[in-house]
Amino acid sequence: MAAESAKEFEALEAQAATLLDVFKRAGYEQVAPSIIQPADVFLDQIGEQVRGRTYVFTDLAGDELCLRPDLTVPVSRLYLERHPDAGTEARYCYNGPAFRFFADRSNRAHPREFRQAGIECFGVKDRESADVEVVLLAVEAVRAAGLKDFRLKFGDIALFYAFIDALALPERWRLKLRHYFWRPSVFHALLTRLARGERPDADSPASILARTLDRDDPESSEERVARYLKEQGLPLEGNRTLSEITARLLDLAGDLRAEPLRKEVATVIDYFLAVAAQPKEAVSRVAMIAKGAGIEIDGALDALIRRFERLEKASIDLSRATFATEFGRSLEYYSGLVFQIEVGDEREPSQIAGGGRYDGLLANIGAPREVPAIGSAIHTERLLAAIERRA
Protein backbone atom coordinates (compact mmCIF):
# COMPACT_ATOMS: atom_id res chain seq x y z
CA MET A 1 0.00 0.00 0.00
CA ALA A 2 1.20 3.52 -0.73
CA ALA A 3 2.78 5.09 2.33
CA GLU A 4 0.39 7.40 4.13
CA SER A 5 -0.15 8.80 7.57
CA ALA A 6 -3.15 8.02 9.73
CA LYS A 7 -4.36 11.57 9.14
CA GLU A 8 -4.08 11.17 5.36
CA PHE A 9 -5.91 7.84 5.50
CA GLU A 10 -8.75 9.40 7.47
CA ALA A 11 -8.93 12.29 5.00
CA LEU A 12 -9.12 9.88 2.06
CA GLU A 13 -11.84 7.85 3.75
CA ALA A 14 -13.89 10.97 4.48
CA GLN A 15 -13.42 12.18 0.90
CA ALA A 16 -14.47 8.77 -0.49
CA ALA A 17 -17.64 8.90 1.61
CA THR A 18 -18.47 12.29 0.08
CA LEU A 19 -17.85 11.06 -3.47
CA LEU A 20 -19.87 7.89 -2.99
CA ASP A 21 -22.72 9.86 -1.44
CA VAL A 22 -22.95 11.95 -4.63
CA PHE A 23 -22.99 8.82 -6.77
CA LYS A 24 -25.50 6.90 -4.65
CA ARG A 25 -27.90 9.84 -4.51
CA ALA A 26 -27.84 9.78 -8.32
CA GLY A 27 -28.99 6.14 -8.31
CA TYR A 28 -25.65 4.32 -8.53
CA GLU A 29 -25.33 1.10 -6.50
CA GLN A 30 -22.05 0.65 -4.63
CA VAL A 31 -20.13 -2.50 -5.61
CA ALA A 32 -16.74 -4.00 -4.72
CA PRO A 33 -15.27 -6.08 -7.60
CA SER A 34 -12.35 -8.44 -7.00
CA ILE A 35 -8.85 -7.00 -6.87
CA ILE A 36 -7.35 -10.12 -8.54
CA GLN A 37 -8.58 -10.50 -12.12
CA PRO A 38 -7.93 -12.83 -15.09
CA ALA A 39 -4.89 -11.38 -16.83
CA ASP A 40 -5.96 -12.22 -20.39
CA VAL A 41 -9.15 -10.15 -20.09
CA PHE A 42 -7.17 -7.07 -19.10
CA LEU A 43 -4.20 -7.52 -21.39
CA ASP A 44 -6.46 -7.91 -24.42
CA GLN A 45 -8.50 -4.79 -23.70
CA ILE A 46 -6.60 -2.06 -21.90
CA GLY A 47 -4.02 -1.15 -24.54
CA GLU A 48 -0.27 -0.91 -24.85
CA GLN A 49 0.35 1.99 -22.47
CA VAL A 50 -1.29 0.31 -19.45
CA ARG A 51 -0.52 -3.31 -20.41
CA GLY A 52 3.20 -2.79 -19.85
CA ARG A 53 2.57 -1.48 -16.33
CA THR A 54 0.18 -4.21 -15.16
CA TYR A 55 1.24 -6.59 -12.38
CA VAL A 56 0.80 -10.11 -13.82
CA PHE A 57 1.47 -13.39 -12.01
CA THR A 58 0.69 -17.11 -12.19
CA ASP A 59 -1.06 -18.78 -9.26
CA LEU A 60 -0.44 -22.30 -7.95
CA ALA A 61 -3.11 -23.69 -10.28
CA GLY A 62 -1.24 -22.29 -13.29
CA ASP A 63 -3.78 -19.55 -14.04
CA GLU A 64 -2.40 -16.20 -15.22
CA LEU A 65 -3.85 -13.42 -13.11
CA CYS A 66 -3.26 -9.71 -12.50
CA LEU A 67 -3.82 -6.99 -9.95
CA ARG A 68 -6.48 -4.78 -11.48
CA PRO A 69 -4.87 -1.72 -13.15
CA ASP A 70 -8.26 0.01 -13.26
CA LEU A 71 -11.81 -0.76 -12.11
CA THR A 72 -13.82 -0.39 -15.32
CA VAL A 73 -13.10 -3.92 -16.55
CA PRO A 74 -13.79 -5.56 -13.13
CA VAL A 75 -17.10 -3.68 -12.81
CA SER A 76 -17.98 -4.66 -16.39
CA ARG A 77 -17.34 -8.31 -15.53
CA LEU A 78 -19.50 -7.94 -12.41
CA TYR A 79 -22.29 -6.51 -14.58
CA LEU A 80 -22.13 -9.54 -16.88
CA GLU A 81 -22.18 -11.92 -13.90
CA ARG A 82 -25.42 -10.31 -12.77
CA HIS A 83 -26.90 -9.79 -16.25
CA PRO A 84 -25.52 -12.44 -18.66
CA ASP A 85 -27.97 -11.39 -21.37
CA ALA A 86 -26.52 -7.85 -21.21
CA GLY A 87 -29.97 -6.40 -21.75
CA THR A 88 -30.48 -4.59 -18.44
CA GLU A 89 -29.72 -1.00 -17.48
CA ALA A 90 -27.45 -0.77 -14.44
CA ARG A 91 -25.51 1.94 -12.65
CA TYR A 92 -22.67 1.09 -10.26
CA CYS A 93 -20.26 3.12 -8.15
CA TYR A 94 -17.11 2.00 -6.35
CA ASN A 95 -14.10 3.03 -4.31
CA GLY A 96 -10.97 0.92 -4.03
CA PRO A 97 -7.33 0.35 -4.95
CA ALA A 98 -5.84 -0.19 -8.40
CA PHE A 99 -2.24 -1.12 -9.24
CA ARG A 100 0.20 -0.04 -11.94
CA PHE A 101 3.99 -0.22 -12.10
CA PHE A 102 5.91 3.06 -12.13
CA ALA A 103 9.70 3.00 -12.09
CA ASP A 104 10.05 6.12 -9.93
CA ARG A 105 8.87 5.00 -6.52
CA SER A 106 9.43 8.47 -5.06
CA ASN A 107 6.89 10.11 -7.39
CA ARG A 108 3.84 10.70 -5.17
CA ALA A 109 1.72 11.63 -8.22
CA HIS A 110 2.16 8.09 -9.60
CA PRO A 111 2.12 5.54 -6.74
CA ARG A 112 2.10 1.87 -7.64
CA GLU A 113 -1.03 1.38 -5.55
CA PHE A 114 -3.63 4.12 -5.81
CA ARG A 115 -7.33 4.59 -5.13
CA GLN A 116 -10.11 5.15 -7.62
CA ALA A 117 -13.65 6.23 -6.84
CA GLY A 118 -15.94 6.12 -9.82
CA ILE A 119 -19.08 5.19 -11.69
CA GLU A 120 -20.04 2.91 -14.56
CA CYS A 121 -23.31 3.21 -16.47
CA PHE A 122 -24.45 0.20 -18.55
CA GLY A 123 -27.22 -0.42 -21.06
CA VAL A 124 -28.64 3.11 -21.41
CA LYS A 125 -29.64 3.37 -25.07
CA ASP A 126 -29.83 7.17 -25.00
CA ARG A 127 -26.07 7.59 -25.27
CA GLU A 128 -26.25 11.38 -25.38
CA SER A 129 -28.09 11.57 -22.04
CA ALA A 130 -25.77 9.00 -20.42
CA ASP A 131 -22.65 10.87 -21.59
CA VAL A 132 -23.90 14.14 -20.15
CA GLU A 133 -25.00 12.41 -16.92
CA VAL A 134 -21.57 10.92 -16.27
CA VAL A 135 -19.64 14.12 -17.02
CA LEU A 136 -21.95 16.12 -14.75
CA LEU A 137 -21.67 13.57 -11.94
CA ALA A 138 -17.88 13.56 -12.10
CA VAL A 139 -17.86 17.36 -11.92
CA GLU A 140 -20.40 17.40 -9.08
CA ALA A 141 -18.37 14.83 -7.13
CA VAL A 142 -15.04 16.69 -7.25
CA ARG A 143 -16.82 19.93 -6.36
CA ALA A 144 -18.55 18.25 -3.41
CA ALA A 145 -15.12 17.05 -2.23
CA GLY A 146 -13.89 20.64 -2.26
CA LEU A 147 -12.19 21.13 -5.66
CA LYS A 148 -13.41 24.40 -7.14
CA ASP A 149 -10.77 25.38 -9.68
CA PHE A 150 -10.24 22.89 -12.51
CA ARG A 151 -10.42 22.48 -16.27
CA LEU A 152 -12.22 20.00 -18.50
CA LYS A 153 -10.58 18.38 -21.51
CA PHE A 154 -12.61 16.46 -24.10
CA GLY A 155 -11.95 14.18 -27.04
CA ASP A 156 -14.12 11.94 -29.20
CA ILE A 157 -12.92 8.60 -30.59
CA ALA A 158 -16.12 8.26 -32.64
CA LEU A 159 -15.36 11.55 -34.41
CA PHE A 160 -11.84 10.35 -35.26
CA TYR A 161 -13.23 7.08 -36.61
CA ALA A 162 -15.86 8.91 -38.67
CA PHE A 163 -13.18 11.19 -40.12
CA ILE A 164 -10.82 8.33 -41.00
CA ASP A 165 -13.65 6.23 -42.44
CA ALA A 166 -14.82 9.09 -44.68
CA LEU A 167 -11.41 9.59 -46.28
CA ALA A 168 -10.38 7.78 -49.44
CA LEU A 169 -7.49 5.68 -48.19
CA PRO A 170 -6.52 2.00 -48.51
CA GLU A 171 -8.31 -0.19 -45.97
CA ARG A 172 -4.97 -1.49 -44.72
CA TRP A 173 -3.88 1.95 -43.58
CA ARG A 174 -7.33 2.86 -42.30
CA LEU A 175 -7.23 -0.09 -39.88
CA LYS A 176 -3.66 0.64 -38.83
CA LEU A 177 -4.34 4.30 -38.14
CA ARG A 178 -7.36 3.36 -36.04
CA HIS A 179 -5.26 0.83 -34.15
CA TYR A 180 -2.40 3.24 -33.41
CA PHE A 181 -4.53 6.24 -32.40
CA TRP A 182 -3.68 5.69 -28.70
CA ARG A 183 0.06 5.74 -29.40
CA PRO A 184 0.65 9.20 -30.95
CA SER A 185 4.38 8.73 -31.55
CA VAL A 186 3.82 5.47 -33.47
CA PHE A 187 0.79 6.94 -35.27
CA HIS A 188 2.66 10.00 -36.52
CA ALA A 189 5.74 7.99 -37.47
CA LEU A 190 3.53 5.72 -39.60
CA LEU A 191 1.68 8.68 -41.13
CA THR A 192 4.95 10.46 -41.96
CA ARG A 193 6.34 7.34 -43.58
CA LEU A 194 3.21 6.83 -45.63
CA ALA A 195 3.08 10.48 -46.68
CA ARG A 196 6.66 10.20 -47.98
CA GLY A 197 5.79 7.08 -49.89
CA GLU A 198 8.30 5.06 -47.88
CA ARG A 199 7.80 1.31 -47.96
CA PRO A 200 9.25 -1.41 -45.72
CA ASP A 201 12.66 -2.64 -46.87
CA ALA A 202 11.58 -5.29 -49.38
CA ASP A 203 15.03 -6.89 -49.44
CA SER A 204 15.44 -7.38 -45.70
CA PRO A 205 15.44 -10.99 -44.40
CA ALA A 206 12.19 -10.33 -42.55
CA SER A 207 10.47 -9.00 -45.70
CA ILE A 208 11.72 -11.90 -47.81
CA LEU A 209 10.33 -14.36 -45.25
CA ALA A 210 7.08 -12.41 -44.86
CA ARG A 211 6.35 -12.64 -48.60
CA THR A 212 6.42 -16.45 -48.39
CA LEU A 213 3.67 -16.57 -45.76
CA ASP A 214 -0.03 -17.06 -46.38
CA ARG A 215 -2.04 -14.43 -44.51
CA ASP A 216 -5.16 -16.62 -44.88
CA ASP A 217 -3.49 -19.59 -43.21
CA PRO A 218 -1.79 -18.54 -39.95
CA GLU A 219 -1.18 -22.15 -38.91
CA SER A 220 0.90 -23.05 -41.97
CA SER A 221 2.62 -19.65 -41.75
CA GLU A 222 3.64 -20.41 -38.18
CA GLU A 223 5.07 -23.78 -39.29
CA ARG A 224 7.00 -21.99 -42.05
CA VAL A 225 8.45 -19.49 -39.55
CA ALA A 226 9.42 -22.31 -37.17
CA ARG A 227 11.29 -24.10 -39.98
CA TYR A 228 13.05 -20.88 -40.97
CA LEU A 229 14.21 -20.19 -37.42
CA LYS A 230 15.49 -23.75 -37.10
CA GLU A 231 17.29 -23.61 -40.46
CA GLN A 232 18.95 -20.30 -39.52
CA GLY A 233 19.87 -21.53 -36.04
CA LEU A 234 17.80 -18.77 -34.42
CA PRO A 235 16.41 -19.93 -31.06
CA LEU A 236 13.27 -18.41 -29.57
CA GLU A 237 14.46 -15.95 -26.95
CA GLY A 238 13.00 -13.04 -25.04
CA ASN A 239 9.31 -12.41 -24.52
CA ARG A 240 7.98 -13.10 -28.02
CA THR A 241 6.36 -16.45 -28.77
CA LEU A 242 6.39 -18.16 -32.16
CA SER A 243 2.78 -17.06 -32.67
CA GLU A 244 3.65 -13.43 -31.94
CA ILE A 245 6.65 -13.51 -34.31
CA THR A 246 4.46 -14.99 -37.05
CA ALA A 247 1.76 -12.37 -36.45
CA ARG A 248 4.31 -9.58 -36.85
CA LEU A 249 5.62 -11.12 -40.08
CA LEU A 250 2.07 -11.47 -41.44
CA ASP A 251 1.49 -7.83 -40.56
CA LEU A 252 4.67 -6.91 -42.45
CA ALA A 253 3.42 -8.95 -45.41
CA GLY A 254 0.25 -6.86 -45.42
CA ASP A 255 2.29 -3.65 -45.40
CA LEU A 256 4.39 -4.85 -48.34
CA ARG A 257 1.28 -5.55 -50.44
CA ALA A 258 -0.79 -2.50 -49.48
CA GLU A 259 -1.45 0.41 -51.81
CA PRO A 260 0.39 3.65 -50.99
CA LEU A 261 -1.36 6.45 -49.10
CA ARG A 262 -1.76 9.67 -51.06
CA LYS A 263 0.25 12.54 -49.56
CA GLU A 264 -2.71 14.92 -49.58
CA VAL A 265 -4.75 12.45 -47.49
CA ALA A 266 -1.97 12.23 -44.91
CA THR A 267 -1.86 16.03 -44.79
CA VAL A 268 -5.61 16.22 -44.10
CA ILE A 269 -5.23 13.73 -41.22
CA ASP A 270 -2.42 15.86 -39.79
CA TYR A 271 -4.62 18.97 -39.98
CA PHE A 272 -7.45 17.14 -38.21
CA LEU A 273 -5.25 15.88 -35.38
CA ALA A 274 -3.76 19.34 -34.81
CA VAL A 275 -7.11 20.77 -33.66
CA ALA A 276 -7.13 21.76 -29.97
CA ALA A 277 -9.28 24.68 -28.84
CA GLN A 278 -12.39 25.65 -26.90
CA PRO A 279 -15.11 23.13 -27.85
CA LYS A 280 -17.17 25.38 -30.15
CA GLU A 281 -14.08 26.67 -31.96
CA ALA A 282 -12.68 23.16 -32.29
CA VAL A 283 -15.91 21.84 -33.80
CA SER A 284 -15.88 24.70 -36.33
CA ARG A 285 -12.28 23.93 -37.30
CA VAL A 286 -13.04 20.25 -37.80
CA ALA A 287 -16.08 21.14 -39.95
CA MET A 288 -13.89 23.39 -42.12
CA ILE A 289 -11.24 20.68 -42.53
CA ALA A 290 -13.90 18.13 -43.49
CA LYS A 291 -15.45 20.54 -46.00
CA GLY A 292 -12.06 21.31 -47.52
CA ALA A 293 -11.37 17.58 -47.86
CA GLY A 294 -14.78 17.01 -49.49
CA ILE A 295 -15.97 14.54 -46.86
CA GLU A 296 -19.15 14.38 -44.78
CA ILE A 297 -18.99 13.76 -41.02
CA ASP A 298 -22.05 15.80 -40.01
CA GLY A 299 -23.56 12.97 -37.93
CA ALA A 300 -20.55 12.67 -35.64
CA LEU A 301 -20.15 16.46 -35.37
CA ASP A 302 -23.85 17.01 -34.60
CA ALA A 303 -23.73 14.38 -31.83
CA LEU A 304 -20.74 16.14 -30.28
CA ILE A 305 -22.37 19.58 -30.55
CA ARG A 306 -25.53 18.35 -28.81
CA ARG A 307 -23.51 17.03 -25.87
CA PHE A 308 -21.71 20.33 -25.46
CA GLU A 309 -24.98 22.27 -25.66
CA ARG A 310 -26.49 20.11 -22.92
CA LEU A 311 -23.42 20.53 -20.72
CA GLU A 312 -23.63 24.30 -21.12
CA LYS A 313 -27.32 24.26 -20.19
CA ALA A 314 -26.29 22.37 -17.03
CA SER A 315 -23.96 25.28 -16.13
CA ILE A 316 -20.68 23.73 -17.29
CA ASP A 317 -18.39 26.61 -18.31
CA LEU A 318 -16.95 25.44 -21.63
CA SER A 319 -14.97 28.67 -22.09
CA ARG A 320 -12.32 27.09 -19.84
CA ALA A 321 -12.60 23.66 -21.50
CA THR A 322 -10.60 22.22 -24.37
CA PHE A 323 -11.54 19.79 -27.12
CA ALA A 324 -8.58 18.07 -28.78
CA THR A 325 -9.03 15.71 -31.72
CA GLU A 326 -5.90 13.76 -30.76
CA PHE A 327 -7.02 13.24 -27.16
CA GLY A 328 -8.17 9.67 -26.51
CA ARG A 329 -6.87 8.91 -22.99
CA SER A 330 -4.61 5.86 -22.50
CA LEU A 331 -7.12 2.99 -22.39
CA GLU A 332 -7.84 1.51 -25.79
CA TYR A 333 -11.36 0.28 -25.03
CA TYR A 334 -12.82 3.79 -25.45
CA SER A 335 -15.12 4.28 -28.45
CA GLY A 336 -16.78 7.71 -28.12
CA LEU A 337 -16.70 10.81 -25.96
CA VAL A 338 -13.77 10.94 -23.50
CA PHE A 339 -12.96 13.58 -20.89
CA GLN A 340 -10.59 14.53 -18.09
CA ILE A 341 -10.74 16.88 -15.12
CA GLU A 342 -7.36 18.58 -14.80
CA VAL A 343 -5.57 21.04 -12.51
CA GLY A 344 -2.19 22.73 -12.54
CA ASP A 345 -0.04 23.92 -15.42
CA GLU A 346 -1.81 23.53 -18.77
CA ARG A 347 1.45 22.35 -20.35
CA GLU A 348 1.87 19.59 -17.74
CA PRO A 349 -1.55 19.14 -16.14
CA SER A 350 -2.37 16.77 -13.33
CA GLN A 351 -5.29 14.51 -14.17
CA ILE A 352 -7.73 14.35 -11.26
CA ALA A 353 -10.48 12.37 -12.96
CA GLY A 354 -11.32 10.98 -16.35
CA GLY A 355 -13.69 8.77 -18.24
CA GLY A 356 -15.44 8.02 -21.47
CA ARG A 357 -17.68 5.80 -23.56
CA TYR A 358 -16.68 2.18 -24.22
CA ASP A 359 -19.52 0.50 -26.11
CA GLY A 360 -17.45 -2.40 -27.46
CA LEU A 361 -15.79 -3.52 -24.23
CA LEU A 362 -18.49 -5.80 -22.83
CA ALA A 363 -18.91 -7.74 -26.08
CA ASN A 364 -15.14 -8.26 -26.09
CA ILE A 365 -15.20 -9.80 -22.61
CA GLY A 366 -18.14 -12.12 -23.14
CA ALA A 367 -21.43 -10.22 -23.60
CA PRO A 368 -23.68 -11.63 -26.36
CA ARG A 369 -24.02 -8.18 -27.90
CA GLU A 370 -22.53 -4.70 -27.80
CA VAL A 371 -23.62 -2.83 -24.67
CA PRO A 372 -23.83 0.97 -24.43
CA ALA A 373 -21.50 1.90 -21.55
CA ILE A 374 -19.77 4.93 -20.13
CA GLY A 375 -17.92 5.58 -16.88
CA SER A 376 -15.60 7.85 -14.96
CA ALA A 377 -12.93 7.35 -12.29
CA ILE A 378 -11.50 9.85 -9.82
CA HIS A 379 -7.90 9.48 -8.62
CA THR A 380 -8.66 10.20 -4.99
CA GLU A 381 -5.09 10.79 -3.74
CA ARG A 382 -4.56 13.41 -6.45
CA LEU A 383 -7.92 14.98 -5.68
CA LEU A 384 -7.06 15.27 -2.00
CA ALA A 385 -3.61 16.72 -2.79
CA ALA A 386 -5.09 19.29 -5.20
CA ILE A 387 -7.65 20.42 -2.59
CA GLU A 388 -5.00 20.71 0.13
CA ARG A 389 -2.72 22.80 -2.15
CA ARG A 390 -5.55 25.27 -2.63
CA ALA A 391 -6.57 25.41 1.04
Side-chain angles (χ1 to χ4, degrees), residues 276-351:
Q278 290 181 7
K280 289 182 180 178
E281 182 183 347
V283 167
S284 296
R285 288 187 193 176
V286 171
M288 289 178 60
I289 293 169
K291 183 178 180 181
I295 61 175
E296 194 276 313
I297 56 170
D298 290 351
L301 277 174
D302 289 345
L304 185 59
I305 290 168
R306 288 194 302 271
R307 285 159 172 77
F308 286 140
E309 288 175 344
R310 291 182 62 167
L311 288 171
E312 280 193 312
K313 287 180 181 178
S315 300
I316 297 295
D317 182 8
L318 293 181
S319 68
R320 297 194 63 221
T322 300
F323 177 84
T325 47
E326 195 170 41
F327 175 59
R329 308 200 71 237
S330 60
L331 295 161
E332 295 183 18
Y333 49 63
Y334 287 121
S335 61
L337 184 76
V338 292
F339 69 95
Q340 281 186 180
I341 295 174
E342 302 175 342
V343 298
D345 190 331
E346 291 189 29
R347 291 168 297 181
E348 294 185 12
S350 173
Q351 176 201 329

Side-chain angles (χ1 to χ4, degrees), residues 105-170:
R105 300 189 66 172
S106 64
N107 188 342
R108 291 175 62 85
H110 295 286
R112 295 179 178 184
E113 177 182 342
F114 56 95
R115 293 177 179 83
Q116 288 186 340
I119 52 176
E120 309 295 341
C121 177
F122 301 109
V124 177
K125 294 179 181 178
D126 184 350
R127 290 169 170 80
E128 182 179 316
S129 294
D131 288 356
V132 172
E133 173 186 313
V134 168
V135 175
L136 291 176
L137 265 178
V139 169
E140 181 185 351
V142 298
R143 282 177 174 163
L147 187 67
K148 307 302 180 185
D149 185 23
F150 55 85
R151 299 180 304 276
L152 280 164
K153 183 175 183 178
F154 294 96
D156 191 344
I157 314 302
L159 179 63
F160 170 73
Y161 286 167
F163 190 85
I164 290 291
D165 290 347
L167 290 170
L169 69 163

Side-chain angles (χ1 to χ4, degrees), residues 89-253:
E89 285 190 16
R91 289 172 169 83
Y92 301 133
C93 64
Y94 55 82
N95 175 62
F99 307 83
R100 295 181 194 175
F101 173 78
F102 291 96
D104 184 0
R105 300 189 66 172
S106 64
N107 188 342
R108 291 175 62 85
H110 295 286
R112 295 179 178 184
E113 177 182 342
F114 56 95
R115 293 177 179 83
Q116 288 186 340
I119 52 176
E120 309 295 341
C121 177
F122 301 109
V124 177
K125 294 179 181 178
D126 184 350
R127 290 169 170 80
E128 182 179 316
S129 294
D131 288 356
V132 172
E133 173 186 313
V134 168
V135 175
L136 291 176
L137 265 178
V139 169
E140 181 185 351
V142 298
R143 282 177 174 163
L147 187 67
K148 307 302 180 185
D149 185 23
F150 55 85
R151 299 180 304 276
L152 280 164
K153 183 175 183 178
F154 294 96
D156 191 344
I157 314 302
L159 179 63
F160 170 73
Y161 286 167
F163 190 85
I164 290 291
D165 290 347
L167 290 170
L169 69 163
E171 187 65 13
R172 172 74 180 173
W173 305 129
R174 188 191 319 280
L175 294 174
K176 278 218 159 187
L177 291 171
R178 287 174 64 127
H179 176 69
Y180 288 130
F181 175 76
W182 283 271
R183 284 175 271 170
S185 60
V186 178
F187 182 101
H188 286 290
L190 173 64
L191 192 61
T192 298
R193 179 168 64 80
L194 294 175
R196 291 174 178 168
E198 296 175 2
R199 311 282 286 176
D201 182 0
D203 296 324
S204 70
S207 295
I208 293 170
L209 174 59
R211 284 201 299 270
T212 69
L213 305 180
D214 184 351
R215 298 186 68 219
D216 296 323
D217 190 351
E219 188 174 337
S220 68
S221 295
E222 189 169 310
E223 292 173 358
R224 174 72 184 91
V225 172
R227 287 198 303 273
Y228 175 86
L229 294 175
K230 185 176 181 180
E231 290 166 0
Q232 299 297 317
L234 299 172
L236 278 174
E237 293 181 346
N239 296 324
R240 290 203 183 103
T241 65
L242 178 61
S243 295
E244 289 170 334
I245 293 172
T246 304
R248 284 176 176 263
L249 288 167
L250 289 172
D251 185 60
L252 174 59

Side-chain angles (χ1 to χ4, degrees), residues 34-43 46 54-58 63-70 73-74 99:
S34 299
I35 289 175
I36 296 176
Q37 296 282 320
D40 59 343
V41 173
F42 267 97
L43 302 183
I46 57 180
T54 299
Y55 287 97
V56 179
F57 60 95
T58 302
D63 295 324
E64 192 174 44
L65 305 169
C66 71
L67 299 178
R68 62 190 187 196
D70 87 334
V73 175
F99 307 83

